[in-house]
Amino acid sequence: MSVAILNGHTVMGFIEDGEAFDRCIDERFMILDVNGDGVLSRSELQKEFEGLLTIDMDSGYTEEEVAKLYDVLFEKFDSDHDGSIDAEEFRSEMKEIMVAVAHGIGDSPVQVALESDSLLMKAVEHELANPNKGPKEKHECPF
């Protein structure tokens, strides 16, 4: 875990570099696709969110409530409702999530603790590799 300073522009600059952002999202997709079938199942997607969400039975939620939350998340990602999430669906939804995060952070710099493989850390690394570039300009992913 590392401490970093970022703002919404950090995240948007990363997203707007479509090639670098897509490459990072595709790498994450391949890691999550444990069985290598080219799509994510409910359980594969759930593993991604278990690390991000601190919702479990110890926090007062029932097993059914937690299962329902994961079902809603899966349905949001599975835009064609075929029962699995392909790379394009994953990429599209992750972009939407990251744009929402950027807007939530806003223009003011914030100091946060980040996991080294998190998408926010990738955005920070991207910005550090391209210090004179802001959103709407092309960058190279530093990793």
Side-chain angles (χ1 to χ4, degrees):
M1 192 166 289
S2 299
V3 175
I5 298 174
L6 68 141
N7 63 18
H9 297 292
T10 304
V11 180
M12 289 305 298
F14 179 50
I15 295 166
E16 291 173 358
D17 182 350
E19 186 177 324
F21 181 76
D22 288 352
R23 185 172 46 251
C24 291
I25 296 298
D26 290 347
E27 287 171 7
R28 175 68 122 241
F29 182 87
M30 289 188 297
I31 291 167
L32 295 174
D33 183 18
V34 176
N35 65 4
D37 65 354
V39 295
L40 300 181
S41 65
R42 287 181 187 272
S43 64
E44 288 170 327
L45 185 68
Q46 183 173 336
K47 288 179 184 175
E48 172 75 350
F49 283 101
E50 284 175 347
L52 299 174
L53 303 174
T54 57
I55 298 174
D56 58 22
M57 279 52 77
D58 293 336
S59 59
Y61 294 96
T62 66
E63 188 173 328
E64 294 80 26
E65 289 170 323
V66 173
K68 180 64 176 165
L69 172 64
Y70 288 125
D71 285 343
V72 168
L73 285 170
F74 186 86
E75 290 168 16
K76 177 73 171 147
F77 274 80
D78 184 18
S79 61
D80 64 6
H81 307 289
D82 68 352
S84 62
I85 300 165
D86 62 36
E88 183 57 40
E89 289 171 315
F90 185 73
R91 197 179 304 115
S92 175
E93 194 59 34
M94 290 305 298
K95 182 176 182 178
E96 189 175 323
I97 289 169
M98 292 296 287
V99 167
V101 167
H103 290 168
I105 293 171
D107 294 335
S108 298
V110 294
Q111 184 174 358
V112 293
L114 299 172
E115 294 289 338
S116 62
D117 65 343
S118 73
L119 289 174
L120 287 178
M121 181 56 83
K122 301 295 185 194
V124 169
E125 292 169 350
H126 184 266
E127 182 178 65
L128 291 173
N130 300 281
N132 297 321
K133 303 205 179 187
K136 303 265 186 227
E137 295 184 64
K138 290 288 181 192
H139 320 287
E140 288 299 317
C141 188
F143 33 93

